[in-house]
Amino acid sequence: MGEVRMLTRRDTPEVFRILDRRPIDNIVASSKVSRQRLEPAWTGSELIGYFEGPHLVSALVDGFSLHPINATDEALDAFSSCLEHRRCSSILGVRDEAMGLWERLCTRSFPQWASPREVRDHQKVMAISQDPAVVPSQSVEVITTRHLDRYLEASIAMYTEEVGVAPISPQGSYRDHVTQMMMKGHSYGVLGADSVLFKADVVATSGMICQIGGVWLAPQLRGQGLSKTFMAGVVAQCRQRFSTVSLYVNHYNLPAVRCYESVGFTQVGECATIMY
């Protein structure tokens, strides 16, 4: 059995060494850490490492969500023993790693971990590294904070539809989150007369790779083939800044899968999310 300990700034080179092994799979984790520092106050999470001798083998993002990174069976055993007495909002990551951590936690403390709200155990990781295969819509644009209220309304609709609960909090933290993405130029959409008709966000970046999330089309426009040209528009604009655009989608969401495949995305991996 190896050693488990909290990672600090001095471990940064080792952390990025394992993150860079699978840059698309690890893009969310990579976006939470910096090449200069790993302090929880900056990343919003603690990062736990599993070492064999002097070498970092695996890691675990331990915060609002649990996210194993390049986790071996031995590392999952060790991580689960450290997490027995706590809870989280979700467990996510590469499918075998996320499901493996969850199964170990259930074995250790069944009542505490074995009743998630939902298990999405087959989420397709898809990517595109060339121009979209369909003509991009010219209506897609970067949405600025001038349209914050309209974009926030669409974002809340997307989140509620996707997760099953509204993201609204008394502190307005979701509004702050949406605002920050818009200020970075990471929010794309199609504007109607008084509403947002389509939206998508760059939710993570690492080097020349970005990940798209929060994709939503107004219900009255669905089934008309518009999502293909709108997504192509997002890809075309993202590829002005990044060489590869990635995303993940639930395997049962066949309309979305077909849309992404039409645009030119191909499956490059599989992830899972266990939601509490």
Side-chain angles (χ1 to χ4, degrees), residues 92-117:
L92 56 91
V94 171
R95 183 186 186 277
D96 290 347
E97 298 175 20
M99 297 296 290
L101 179 60
W102 178 52
E103 290 163 1
R104 286 166 171 79
L105 290 170
C106 289
T107 299
R108 290 181 174 275
S109 182
F110 186 86
Q112 192 171 11
W113 294 98
S115 299
R117 183 163 52 85

Side-chain angles (χ1 to χ4, degrees), residues 162-223:
E162 173 67 18
V163 180
V165 294
I168 303 169
S169 67
Q171 296 78 21
S173 58
Y174 190 69
R175 183 185 182 91
D176 292 342
H177 167 70
V178 172
T179 302
Q180 289 170 10
M181 285 194 298
M182 297 179 80
M183 292 180 68
K184 293 177 182 177
H186 285 179
S187 299
Y188 296 88
V190 176
L191 296 173
D194 56 2
S195 64
V196 171
L197 304 178
F198 168 83
K199 67 168 293 294
D201 303 300
V202 174
V203 297
T205 66
S206 179
M208 294 302 293
I209 304 172
C210 73
Q211 184 181 93
I212 299 296
V215 180
W216 179 85
L217 180 67
Q220 69 272 21
L221 299 180
R222 296 174 189 176

Side-chain angles (χ1 to χ4, degrees), residues 71-196:
T72 62
D73 287 340
E74 294 78 11
L76 292 173
D77 290 339
F79 292 149
S80 64
S81 67
C82 299
L83 299 167
E84 184 174 353
H85 301 296
R86 59 146 294 167
R87 291 294 296 270
C88 64
S89 67
S90 62
I91 302 170
L92 56 91
V94 171
R95 183 186 186 277
D96 290 347
E97 298 175 20
M99 297 296 290
L101 179 60
W102 178 52
E103 290 163 1
R104 286 166 171 79
L105 290 170
C106 289
T107 299
R108 290 181 174 275
S109 182
F110 186 86
Q112 192 171 11
W113 294 98
S115 299
R117 183 163 52 85
E118 187 177 355
V119 177
R120 299 180 178 180
D121 58 345
H122 291 284
Q123 297 175 302
K124 295 175 179 285
V125 179
M126 308 183 79
I128 181 171
S129 299
Q130 64 273 338
D131 292 337
V134 300
V135 178
S137 169
Q138 299 301 307
S139 300
V140 176
E141 60 182 297
V142 176
I143 308 298
T144 67
T145 53
R146 184 164 67 92
H147 302 290
L148 173 59
D149 289 340
R150 285 195 279 171
Y151 200 82
L152 178 63
E153 183 178 352
S155 298
I156 291 173
M158 174 279 303
Y159 188 101
T160 305
E161 188 174 328
E162 173 67 18
V163 180
V165 294
I168 303 169
S169 67
Q171 296 78 21
S173 58
Y174 190 69
R175 183 185 182 91
D176 292 342
H177 167 70
V178 172
T179 302
Q180 289 170 10
M181 285 194 298
M182 297 179 80
M183 292 180 68
K184 293 177 182 177
H186 285 179
S187 299
Y188 296 88
V190 176
L191 296 173
D194 56 2
S195 64
V196 171

Side-chain angles (χ1 to χ4, degrees), residues 25-88:
D25 286 336
N26 295 331
I27 186 171
V28 172
S30 296
S31 70
K32 290 184 177 180
V33 299
S34 162
R35 293 186 183 273
Q36 284 73 43
R37 54 181 180 172
L38 293 173
E39 288 86 346
W42 190 85
T43 62
S45 306
E46 293 179 339
L47 201 60
I48 301 171
Y50 175 79
F51 289 80
E52 292 181 354
H55 301 295
L56 178 65
V57 175
S58 308
L60 176 74
V61 178
D62 180 7
F64 193 61
S65 297
L66 299 176
H67 184 175
I69 301 166
N70 292 16
T72 62
D73 287 340
E74 294 78 11
L76 292 173
D77 290 339
F79 292 149
S80 64
S81 67
C82 299
L83 299 167
E84 184 174 353
H85 301 296
R86 59 146 294 167
R87 291 294 296 270
C88 64

